[in-house]
Amino acid sequence: MPAQQIITLVLIVVAIAFVVAIYLHNRHKRYTDANLKKACEEFLADLPDQSLTRKAFIDALKRNYNVGLKEALYLLGHAKKKGFVITDGDRVRLADTK
């Protein structure tokens, strides 16, 4: 085999290994309820009305968890389901924990 074919084959194998490694790494992400609740409280507790726009809240989740839009929306839905936050129209506010 010529050297160019060997180099091309090695590059393809390395690219496939890289894609598989990223897939396996992303598949094993875990989000705990305690961490999500703490993150929601950090985002909203210091604000005067304890609320953010939905977009700002999602952006904060994306930065905090280093995820994309899809996973940030999942985390917002999970926080709503667990009762950590409440959405009022376009605003996300901290749920009453009394």
Side-chain angles (χ1 to χ4, degrees), residues 8-48:
T8 304
L9 185 60
V10 168
L11 289 175
I12 290 172
V13 169
V14 167
I16 290 172
F18 183 71
V19 168
V20 168
I22 294 218
Y23 170 76
L24 291 174
H25 175 73
N26 287 339
R27 192 178 73 170
H28 294 294
K29 287 184 181 175
R30 300 281 187 247
Y31 307 110
T32 62
D33 290 344
N35 287 343
L36 183 59
K37 184 174 184 176
K38 181 180 174 187
C40 292
E41 289 171 352
E42 286 175 2
F43 300 153
L44 299 170
D46 294 337
L47 299 172

Side-chain angles (χ1 to χ4, degrees), residues 59-78:
D59 287 341
L61 284 172
K62 285 168 53 175
R63 278 191 312 274
N64 189 53
Y65 283 99
N66 195 24
V67 295
L69 177 64
K70 186 176 179 180
E71 289 186 71
L73 288 171
Y74 166 77
L75 290 171
L76 172 61
H78 190 72

